[in-house]
Amino acid sequence: MIGFLYACGAGIMLAQPAAAQSGKWALTDLSAFRQPGGTWQIAGDVSGKINKPNALETVKGAGVLVNLPGKKQHGQDLYTSAEYGDIDLELDYMMAAGSNSGIYFQGRYELQLFDSWGNPAPKATDNGGIYERWDDSKPEGLQGYQGYAPRMNASKAPGLWQHLKVSFQAPRFDASGKKIENARIIRAVLNGVVIHENIELEGNTRGGNGAEAAKGPLRIQGDHGAVAFRNITITDYSTPKPSLTGLEYTVYKAANPREFDPATAKAEAKGTGTSLTANAGPFAHGYQLRYTGKLSVQEAGEYNVGVAAQGGAAALKVNGKEVAGFGGNGRGKVTLPAGASDVEVLYARTGDWGAPSLNLLVSGKGLRETVFGDPAQPDDTDPILLEADQTTLLRSFMDVPGAAKVTHAVSVGSPEKVHYTYDLDNGMLIQAWRGRFLETTPMWNDRGNGTSRPIGALQRFGNPSFALNRLADADKAWSADSAGTSFRPKGYVLDEKDRPTFRYQIFGSNVSDAIRILPDGSGFTRDLEVSAPAGDLYAKLAEGANIEQVEKDLYVVDGKSFYLRLTDAGGAKPVVRTSGNKQELIVPVRGKLSYSILF
């Protein structure tokens, strides 16, 4: 939903713009904002209940920006004192149940924040959507237009932290003030999922303030519901873009780029160009290109420069000094004076593999990477996607960051669009995600490497380890060696809906492990049945940076990443304990153990 600026805030836009604030915000006070309303505050932490509408609870301290509007105190939008053009914005945010907010880039273009948990078909008004523009003169039902729904619903449950990263490009204007290029959302990533790419914003979204301009404040909607923010980082791209001019090229026949000497080599062709390209000259392969030109920057300082090539190799010199050689990584740092610097780019194509392309890359403080050269070559490999319109199982390898590849993984897809991966070697639930099922291109394309990839907002549950193990008591370390010696996987059986129940033996007990997706897509249940368990057998239900009990039998795990609700522990009492630099939720096994994960 949209939010409008009330009369009390109308004067805010008249304040003098402050210098852009770039970097991570400390959030020790509200000094970064213009005349913040009374519903905004700074807190040390915040939490919300999964089913309590428009409610967040705060803890004293610093680092979290919170808005708590209510019936007695109506909230108002919050504006930064600084004004921005091109920026990258990265932050965490938490929605209260049923809550609604939004981020307006330059105060004009809204990216919606909304409690859209479990919505299977998100619209432009849902979480991550780019809100519609609006025209009251159009017929009823047609006033809204040019809104963009997220590619998929990557939203988490209320009371959990969500991560957002947006690259925004401001509109461009000529010297007379005429707009010559629309604003854009270059890319938006929500909870690890790309939800928008290259979306052109032709004008203000509904509720956007004022005429379009090169700069404007960041604005957070504050009149619709409780919301919190932390880890706010802005990268401000205010440095003027560089230019590459005066390009001249020479083409040579060359078999080996490292033995090539332009001082003695015979030139086969020469010319001038307005941009770099690997395709200048008369040859298809077995040639070398040498470009010279002027790279001009308006501000002196340190810059990251480099070359990127396909179908060949590239090297770079700036002001006569080598920055990247044919055998290096193609990038380096240089200090450039204001004005023009000499640049020399070499491109060698000795074979006939790949499509030839050449780029010069320049970035630096306040400068989003500028690319000179051939257009990006799209990957022409047709992706091999596996959907799950019904219960679908796939055996594959699965990569886990920071751990060894899982070689006996079973991924289970569901029509509810909630999926999971199970490690047959450890009897462990590795990960779950919401969205589409799997990309199997790495598994099946060309020779393939046996690996599949989840498509959606992924929640991992730790590095592979045994779900059941023996403990002398709840304070002792896991007996990893004995678990590995006794573990015997027994595959799985399917029920009438083709849903697997995994089976294994451990410490002489037979175990059945049934994971079932909840009908509303909010998460899944897990039922473990263990025959004649040893008296010292424990189950590790969750691990993470921290685990908090928020109500009876309900825990929030790993910095408020997901919820775990314990439904049946057979009378055993769960324990939250510290293990190394993590916390673990463990419980003695009394034969049957049931819990659900909500995320």
Side-chain angles (χ1 to χ4, degrees):
M1 299 291 289
I2 61 167
F4 293 93
L5 186 63
Y6 288 85
C8 63
I12 292 175
M13 299 301 293
L14 300 178
Q16 291 297 316
Q21 182 176 352
S22 193
K24 185 175 179 179
W25 295 6
L27 292 177
T28 55
D29 54 37
L30 295 171
S31 61
F33 305 99
R34 305 177 188 176
Q35 302 177 16
T39 61
W40 291 94
Q41 61 179 278
I42 297 295
D45 197 6
V46 65
S47 59
K49 294 190 175 180
I50 199 167
N51 293 316
K52 188 173 182 180
N54 197 36
L56 295 175
E57 297 179 359
T58 61
V59 175
K60 288 184 178 181
V64 181
L65 172 67
V66 188
N67 183 43
L68 298 174
K71 293 181 180 179
K72 294 184 179 180
Q73 191 172 25
H74 192 77
Q76 68 182 50
D77 293 357
L78 186 68
Y79 291 80
T80 60
S81 300
E83 296 196 350
Y84 300 96
D86 296 355
I87 62 169
D88 284 348
L89 171 67
E90 187 167 7
L91 51 77
D92 300 325
Y93 69 96
M94 180 188 293
M95 304 301 300
S99 191
N100 175 2
S101 184
I103 297 172
Y104 285 81
F105 291 87
Q106 297 191 317
R108 303 178 183 96
Y109 317 100
E110 183 186 10
L111 186 82
Q112 177 80 328
L113 304 182
F114 195 80
D115 175 19
S116 298
W117 184 43
N119 183 346
K123 303 182 292 295
T125 52
D126 278 298
N127 195 38
I130 297 173
Y131 209 85
E132 297 174 316
R133 301 182 66 200
W134 200 261
D135 187 346
D136 284 320
S137 67
K138 291 186 176 183
E140 185 72 24
L142 299 176
Q143 294 101 327
Y145 64 103
Q146 291 182 357
Y148 300 93
R151 290 180 177 178
M152 68 176 70
N153 187 2
S155 305
K156 287 193 173 187
L160 299 179
W161 286 111
Q162 309 196 55
H163 188 72
L164 177 69
K165 185 173 183 178
V166 183
S167 293
F168 171 79
Q169 179 177 293
R172 305 292 196 246
F173 298 85
D174 64 16
S176 68
K178 178 183 176 182
K179 185 172 73 168
I180 56 175
E181 187 176 345
N182 289 320
R184 289 181 182 274
I185 298 292
I186 298 173
R187 184 179 175 91
V189 181
L190 175 61
N191 296 325
V193 175
V194 177
I195 56 172
H196 298 293
E197 274 189 303
N198 198 29
I199 300 295
E200 188 170 3
L201 308 172
E202 296 186 18
N204 291 5
T205 59
R206 192 181 187 190
N209 290 126
E212 292 182 282
K215 290 191 174 184
L218 198 68
R219 167 186 168 198
I220 304 175
Q221 186 178 6
D223 61 348
H224 276 58
V227 64
F229 302 87
R230 69 177 186 184
N231 296 329
I232 300 175
T233 301
I234 290 181
T235 304
D236 176 44
Y237 296 110
S238 57
T239 300
K241 287 189 174 182
S243 62
L244 184 63
T245 58
L247 285 175
E248 298 181 353
Y249 67 84
T250 308
V251 186
Y252 307 89
K253 274 286 190 180
N256 187 333
R258 291 177 178 83
E259 297 175 356
F260 171 77
D261 182 358
T264 59
K266 178 184 176 183
E268 302 290 342
K270 293 184 177 183
T272 60
T274 57
S275 64
L276 289 175
T277 177
N279 298 290
F283 306 118
H285 56 82
Y287 65 89
Q288 182 141 339
L289 273 168
R290 177 176 180 263
Y291 279 96
T292 60
K294 299 290 185 181
L295 176 64
S296 298
V297 298
Q298 294 187 32
E299 298 181 4
E302 187 177 69
Y303 289 81
N304 302 306
V305 297
V307 281
Q310 291 185 21
L316 170 67
K317 290 182 178 180
V318 176
N319 289 329
K321 295 183 179 180
E322 184 177 280
V323 177
F326 285 116
N329 62 11
R331 293 175 182 263
K333 294 183 180 295
V334 296
T335 300
L336 300 178
S341 294
D342 293 326
V343 63
E344 178 183 0
V345 179
L346 300 176
Y347 175 81
R349 180 167 171 79
T350 57
D352 56 3
W353 49 272
S357 70
L358 175 63
N359 294 113
L360 173 66
L361 316 170
V362 185
S363 63
K365 184 178 180 181
L367 176 65
R368 181 175 280 149
E369 186 169 80
T370 302
V371 181
F372 302 100
D374 290 313
Q377 297 292 321
D379 184 352
D380 58 3
T381 302
D382 289 333
I384 304 171
L385 306 178
L386 182 61
E387 304 293 355
D389 296 328
Q390 57 188 2
T391 303
T392 305
L393 281 70
L394 182 72
R395 297 281 297 269
S396 72
F397 296 161
M398 186 63 66
D399 290 323
V400 178
K405 186 188 299 288
V406 177
T407 56
H408 294 87
V410 178
S411 293
V412 182
S414 77
E416 291 82 10
K417 306 302 181 188
V418 175
H419 323 292
Y420 68 89
T421 302
Y422 192 90
D423 178 10
L424 292 172
D425 288 334
N426 291 283
M428 180 187 175
L429 179 70
I430 300 172
Q431 60 195 14
W433 65 99
R434 185 177 287 108
R436 301 176 71 180
F437 187 32
L438 290 170
E439 181 186 353
T440 59
T441 311
M443 185 174 185
W444 300 117
N445 184 57
D446 200 9
R447 296 183 180 182
N449 64 9
T451 303
S452 63
R453 300 169 181 160
I455 311 173
L458 188 64
Q459 178 60 57
R460 291 192 170 92
F461 300 115
N463 291 340
S465 62
F466 292 104
L468 301 179
N469 221 319
R470 302 180 76 166
L471 291 174
D473 60 59
D475 295 325
K476 301 299 182 182
W478 291 110
S479 304
D481 292 342
S482 58
T485 302
S486 68
F487 185 83
R488 298 290 184 272
K490 297 295 182 180
Y492 51 84
V493 295
L494 302 179
D495 67 7
E496 71 282 355
K497 295 183 179 179
D498 292 330
R499 299 175 300 186
T501 296
F502 300 96
R503 294 181 172 180
Y504 58 88
Q505 290 179 344
I506 192 167
F507 301 117
S509 295
N510 292 314
V511 181
S512 70
D513 191 350
I515 299 166
R516 300 292 182 258
I517 305 305
L518 291 166
D520 63 359
S522 59
F524 55 86
T525 62
R526 188 180 189 186
D527 296 312
L528 286 157
E529 293 189 8
V530 184
S531 68
D536 56 356
L537 189 65
Y538 278 73
K540 181 168 65 174
L541 306 186
E543 66 179 31
N546 52 58
I547 299 175
E548 305 170 43
Q549 185 172 2
V550 292
E551 57 185 65
K552 188 177 185 299
D553 299 324
L554 182 67
Y555 300 83
V556 63
V557 182
D558 201 19
K560 300 184 176 71
S561 292
F562 63 93
Y563 294 103
L564 187 148
R565 188 184 299 278
L566 186 59
T567 52
D568 186 356
K573 184 178 180 180
V575 175
V576 176
R577 69 175 197 165
T578 298
S579 178
N581 61 355
K582 300 178 297 185
Q583 286 192 310
E584 297 175 335
L585 176 62
I586 63 174
V587 62
V589 177
R590 298 288 183 260
K592 185 176 180 180
L593 177 63
S594 299
Y595 65 92
S596 58
I597 296 285
L598 308 174
F599 67 104

